[in-house]
Amino acid sequence: MTHEIAVIPGDGIGQEVTPAAVDVLEALEIDFEFVEADAGDAVLEETGEALPQETYDLAASADATLFGAAGETAADVILPLRDAVDSFVNIRPAKAYPGIDAVRPETDLVFLRENTEGVYSGLEDRLTQDVSTLTRVVTETASRDLAEFACDYVSEADEHDGFSIVHKANVMRETDGLFRDTVKSVADEEGVETDEVLMDAFATRVCLDPEQFDVIVCPNLAGDVLSDLAAGLVGGLGLLPSANVGPDRALFEPVHGTAPDIAGEGVANPAATIISAAMLLEYLGYDEESEAVHEAVEATLEEGPRTADLGGDASTEDVTNAVIDRL
Amino acid sequence: MTHEIAVIPGDGIGQEVTPAAVDVLEALEIDFEFVEADAGDAVLEETGEALPQETYDLAASADATLFGAAGETAADVILPLRDAVDSFVNIRPAKAYPGIDAVRPETDLVFLRENTEGVYSGLEDRLTQDVSTLTRVVTETASRDLAEFACDYVSEADEHDGFSIVHKANVMRETDGLFRDTVKSVADEEGVETDEVLMDAFATRVCLDPEQFDVIVCPNLAGDVLSDLAAGLVGGLGLLPSANVGPDRALFEPVHGTAPDIAGEGVANPAATIISAAMLLEYLGYDEESEAVHEAVEATLEEGPRTADLGGDASTEDVTNAVIDRL
Ligand SMILES: CC(C)[C@H](C(=O)O)[C@@H](O)C(=O)O
Ligand SMILES: CC(C)[C@H](C(=O)O)[C@@H](O)C(=O)O
């Protein structure tokens, strides 16, 4: 069966790392049909829209989407694209790689971030000159969908014993209370072990000893900030992939941005996008191919060639070819 | 002039470290009148109230309050106490000390956290079985008060060039937009330099290179989580002091909790509470005495004696006496 893959390179180094990841996918000779579309600052400039309707529709109908990065318009692009794939969970692995400089080399975490609501509900008002408000929404439905996904996620892989629920229910008693209670009760029903950590305490503890955590289930903003914290512990955003998963389709993107300082020079590190493509393969059921890509990237990170961000002087193409050679 | 100092030890090691800090203050022979009051889990058990009205009233009338820690009831105690002193800013220095194991020994940051609103406004509703909401409030008034304080703060000390405004205005456009614009415009009026960092990017960047930041001005929850992250970078919550400052009075507290595992044994590290007491001295205008306490604590941290959390075997009393001897 042919799978349609939407490819949205976006801005900056998105234009370089996204084609690199497509090259890796093409080298696997799977029956994929790639369809490219525009989004981001450049298309805003040209057309007045950061996310053209065709691009939204493509992501909403393709089997999977590979997205690169967007500049100033990042929020205007990525939030609607998450919505286009109806994504209820953002999977963000944060793992240190052997041979790569990391603040905490023993870090190996997976964040399962709620991807539809919380402060991202975007309901804001300027009530008076002085007062503005934002309505933070937490529903039992979204919390339950995330929890069911998390239970499946940890049950499918032997290496996970359960997950940590990270929240701030001591202050957001009703909303994060509903989140915590719902996630906990789903996990209890499914026989999955959980523990609970306040998000501020998590921030301290993960720096001191990342090995005490494994899979983290949390609301939207907590997932945003704490996964970026974990990125800091593993040496930066450069190697982090992510998946926005919905019931019928999914969107994959590196966690890094457009890197305007090096964009256009052909020296961006394609690793995070290639690892995101490996997550796409797994999502579509190509487990062996996914594993092969993961291993090829890890070997390349360890043995080279490496791009400048990792102390090397290889080009994006050198690294991409090295990964393909190792498949 | 006599200053009335409210002393609220609270629960757990709060009962040990708070008297230790009072001993240090008493050794300075300043005209302080100490008045003790109860709060926390123990008094809840006895009286049905975690924060008795007398305690609230005492904090609301004393010149300054020294608070220890509270257990399960932490939020029920500390949030109203911040309100009792009408505190609009929470000052949280996070600094690594020479000789103390730290993930990032070069960390030396001060968080100026908005202390009255944001998600802490506490306006929550369960709209239906499925849907709960929290109203996040951001006002120009609170943002302005914080900004004016921040401008004075960085202007008074030579070592600060300006501050970073940390926010999430790309998602919370109206509320964090109002926060950011207000703080920036006050700083511009006062000729104080600022830069802007998104809170997720801050979390990554501060791990990779804490020296790029100095003073951070941010909304309430951002300050909670990011200062705890900084605590992780300097080696844990054990050494972090804090000040909740209002227009006429202030409350000082260590950032750590009740440490139930060691409570009652007389081995808790009193350093964070003694440093909080040094902040209290500075607040009341005793700059020299404050400096002397800071230096005595630093010398004690470096040369010992040390409590078990820092690899030593000294008691709370040994450390307190060592600080007093060095005054
Ligand atoms: C660009 C921004 C809206 C986005 C988010 O906050 O989710 C980004 O930080 C991310 O984590 O993918
Ligand atoms: C106990 C809790 C309500 C409090 C907060 O969130 O402000 C604590 O984490 C702190 O930072 O002092």
Side-chain angles (χ1 to χ4, degrees):
Chain A
M1 192 185 83
T2 307
H3 286 291
E4 189 182 54
I5 313 292
V7 178
I8 308 173
D11 299 314
I13 63 167
Q15 290 288 340
E16 300 159 52
V17 296
T18 318
V22 171
D23 287 347
V24 173
L25 290 175
E26 281 183 329
L28 296 166
E29 299 183 1
I30 299 171
D31 191 6
F32 282 158
E33 192 197 336
F34 296 98
V35 186
E36 204 171 308
D38 290 329
D41 296 0
V43 66
L44 171 69
E45 187 112 329
E46 276 166 45
T47 69
E49 279 185 313
L51 186 67
Q53 188 66 40
E54 312 89 84
T55 306
Y56 182 95
D57 292 344
L58 177 68
S61 65
D63 296 303
T65 297
L66 192 62
F67 172 65
E72 291 296 314
T73 54
D76 301 312
V77 170
I78 192 61
L79 300 181
L81 281 178
R82 286 177 188 159
D83 175 64
V85 302
D86 218 353
S87 169
F88 58 89
V89 56
N90 189 332
I91 311 175
R92 302 198 154 193
K95 165 169 139 174
Y97 288 98
I100 306 297
D101 223 21
V103 178
R104 281 289 183 198
E106 62 279 47
T107 307
D108 187 359
L109 302 168
V110 180
F111 291 84
L112 302 177
R113 166 185 177 187
E114 200 287 316
N115 216 13
T116 64
E117 55 186 30
V119 299
Y120 287 72
S121 295
L123 303 167
E124 294 190 286
D125 260 311
R126 183 76 174 250
L127 300 187
T128 65
Q129 170 64 25
D130 191 37
V131 181
S132 64
T133 59
L134 178 148
T135 303
R136 179 177 193 263
V137 178
V138 174
T139 65
E140 197 179 316
T141 303
S143 306
R144 178 169 288 278
D145 288 348
L146 176 67
E148 281 166 359
F149 182 91
C151 288
D152 289 347
Y153 187 91
V154 300
S155 304
E156 270 163 24
D158 288 341
E159 78 248 40
H160 303 304
D161 289 330
F163 56 79
S164 302
I165 309 172
V166 175
H167 60 77
K168 186 81 190 175
N170 60 337
V171 169
M172 301 190 271
R173 295 182 182 198
E174 190 72 56
T175 51
D176 268 17
L178 177 60
F179 176 83
R180 179 203 48 204
D181 294 348
T182 305
V183 173
K184 175 109 178 62
S185 87
V186 170
D188 288 350
E189 280 162 32
E190 309 258 338
V192 170
E193 262 180 62
T194 56
D195 59 10
E196 268 184 60
V197 192
L198 291 171
M199 75 182 281
D200 49 336
F202 179 86
T204 305
R205 286 173 51 187
V206 77
C207 293
L208 295 175
D209 175 18
E211 284 179 296
Q212 70 189 291
F213 300 112
D214 176 20
V215 177
I216 294 103
V217 174
C218 57
N220 210 340
L221 184 68
D224 178 49
V225 177
L226 299 176
S227 66
D228 268 29
L229 157 51
L233 298 180
V234 305
L237 296 168
L239 299 176
L240 295 204
S242 75
N244 298 279
V245 175
D248 300 316
R249 46 189 50 82
L251 178 146
F252 302 83
E253 45 161 342
V255 177
H256 64 65
T258 56
D261 49 322
I262 57 159
E265 294 175 23
V267 298
N269 188 347
T273 316
I274 298 176
I275 305 170
S276 301
M279 294 179 83
L280 179 154
L281 287 165
E282 191 189 347
Y283 174 75
L284 292 176
Y286 298 100
D287 289 2
E288 266 173 51
E289 290 84 349
S290 171
E291 200 43 51
V293 174
H294 276 298
E295 280 169 17
V297 173
E298 283 184 36
T300 306
L301 287 174
E302 198 161 354
E303 292 156 33
R306 291 177 174 188
T307 43
D309 56 313
L310 302 178
D313 61 2
S315 67
T316 307
E317 200 182 337
D318 295 337
V319 174
T320 308
N321 289 337
V323 170
I324 292 173
D325 287 345
R326 287 186 171 106
L327 286 175
Chain B
M1 194 186 85
T2 306
H3 287 291
E4 188 183 54
I5 314 290
V7 177
I8 308 174
D11 299 315
I13 62 166
Q15 290 287 341
E16 300 158 52
V17 295
T18 318
V22 171
D23 287 347
V24 173
L25 290 175
E26 282 185 329
L28 295 168
E29 299 183 2
I30 298 172
D31 190 8
F32 283 157
E33 192 196 338
F34 297 98
V35 186
E36 204 172 308
D38 289 330
D41 296 1
V43 65
L44 172 70
E45 187 113 328
E46 275 166 48
T47 68
E49 278 185 313
L51 185 66
Q53 187 65 40
E54 312 89 83
T55 305
Y56 182 95
D57 291 343
L58 176 68
S61 65
D63 296 303
T65 297
L66 191 63
F67 173 65
E72 290 297 313
T73 53
D76 300 312
V77 171
I78 192 61
L79 300 182
L81 281 178
R82 286 177 188 158
D83 176 63
V85 301
D86 216 354
S87 169
F88 57 89
V89 57
N90 189 332
I91 310 175
R92 299 196 158 198
K95 163 168 142 176
Y97 287 96
I100 305 298
D101 223 20
V103 178
R104 282 287 183 202
E106 62 281 47
T107 306
D108 187 0
L109 302 168
V110 179
F111 291 85
L112 301 178
R113 166 186 178 188
E114 199 288 316
N115 216 13
T116 63
E117 55 185 30
V119 299
Y120 287 72
S121 294
L123 303 166
E124 293 190 285
D125 259 313
R126 183 74 174 252
L127 299 186
T128 66
Q129 170 64 26
D130 193 33
V131 180
S132 64
T133 59
L134 177 149
T135 303
R136 179 177 193 265
V137 177
V138 174
T139 65
E140 199 181 313
T141 303
S143 307
R144 178 169 286 276
D145 287 348
L146 176 66
E148 282 166 359
F149 182 89
C151 288
D152 289 348
Y153 187 89
V154 300
S155 304
E156 269 163 26
D158 288 341
E159 77 248 41
H160 304 303
D161 288 330
F163 57 78
S164 302
I165 310 172
V166 175
H167 60 76
K168 187 81 189 175
N170 61 336
V171 169
M172 301 190 271
R173 296 181 182 197
E174 189 72 56
T175 50
D176 268 15
L178 177 61
F179 176 83
R180 180 203 46 204
D181 294 348
T182 305
V183 173
K184 174 109 179 60
S185 86
V186 170
D188 287 351
E189 280 162 32
E190 310 257 338
V192 170
E193 263 181 62
T194 57
D195 59 9
E196 268 185 57
V197 192
L198 290 170
M199 74 181 280
D200 49 337
F202 179 86
T204 305
R205 287 172 53 188
V206 75
C207 293
L208 295 175
D209 175 18
E211 283 178 297
Q212 70 190 291
F213 300 112
D214 176 21
V215 176
I216 294 102
V217 174
C218 57
N220 210 338
L221 184 68
D224 178 49
V225 177
L226 299 176
S227 65
D228 268 29
L229 157 51
L233 299 180
V234 304
L237 296 168
L239 300 177
L240 296 203
S242 75
N244 299 278
V245 175
D248 300 316
R249 47 187 51 80
L251 178 147
F252 301 83
E253 45 161 343
V255 177
H256 64 65
T258 56
D261 50 322
I262 57 160
E265 294 174 24
V267 298
N269 189 346
T273 315
I274 298 176
I275 304 171
S276 301
M279 294 179 82
L280 178 153
L281 288 165
E282 192 188 346
Y283 173 75
L284 292 176
Y286 298 99
D287 290 4
E288 265 173 51
E289 290 84 349
S290 171
E291 200 43 52
V293 173
H294 277 297
E295 280 168 17
V297 173
E298 283 184 36
T300 306
L301 287 173
E302 200 163 352
E303 292 155 34
R306 292 177 171 186
T307 44
D309 56 314
L310 302 178
D313 60 5
S315 68
T316 306
E317 199 182 337
D318 295 336
V319 173
T320 308
N321 289 337
V323 171
I324 292 173
D325 287 345
R326 287 187 171 103
L327 285 176

